[in-house]
Amino acid sequence: VSGVRLEKKQATLYHVLIEDLNVLDVAIPLKPNLLLLPSDKKLAAAETLMVAMTARETILSLRLNYLTEFDFVLLDCAPAMNLMHQNAL
């Protein structure tokens, strides 16, 4: 929908969740004051790895917690109740 094509080595939400990369280092600017945190098929593997993590349902919140300069964060979620969806909630 955004028209962004990811490079092969592009870091994604997977890397933010699993490798604790900084969101702002991964986000792609689309317009002034609008960033996209990309995702790809590898995100499905993140859920498998997150199952063994402590406080796994709050990992996304912890990774986004320091983004105090943003008024809104929009999360596009699949229509399922899984660990990723729990993190979004």
Side-chain angles (χ1 to χ4, degrees):
V1 173
S2 68
V4 172
R5 291 194 179 262
L6 299 181
E7 301 292 327
K8 286 188 178 187
K9 302 271 182 178
Q10 171 71 43
T12 65
L13 178 57
Y14 170 90
H15 299 93
V16 171
L17 294 171
I18 303 303
E19 298 177 11
D20 198 15
L21 290 188
N22 185 307
V23 171
L24 295 176
D25 292 338
V26 176
I28 299 170
L30 297 179
K31 294 181 179 183
N33 300 315
L34 180 61
L35 303 176
L36 171 71
L37 182 56
S39 179
D40 60 13
K41 294 177 185 178
K42 197 170 184 179
L43 187 60
E47 186 163 359
T48 303
L49 296 171
M50 289 169 60
V51 168
M53 297 172 121
T54 303
R56 61 186 170 262
E57 62 282 342
T58 62
I59 293 170
L60 180 61
S61 176
L62 293 172
R63 303 291 194 268
L64 298 178
N65 195 36
Y66 67 92
L67 298 177
T68 57
E69 68 273 14
F70 292 91
D71 293 326
F72 300 99
V73 174
L74 303 176
L75 302 170
D76 183 13
C77 299
M81 187 50 120
N82 54 28
L83 186 53
M84 289 298 171
H85 201 132
Q86 289 174 358
N87 269 268
L89 291 173

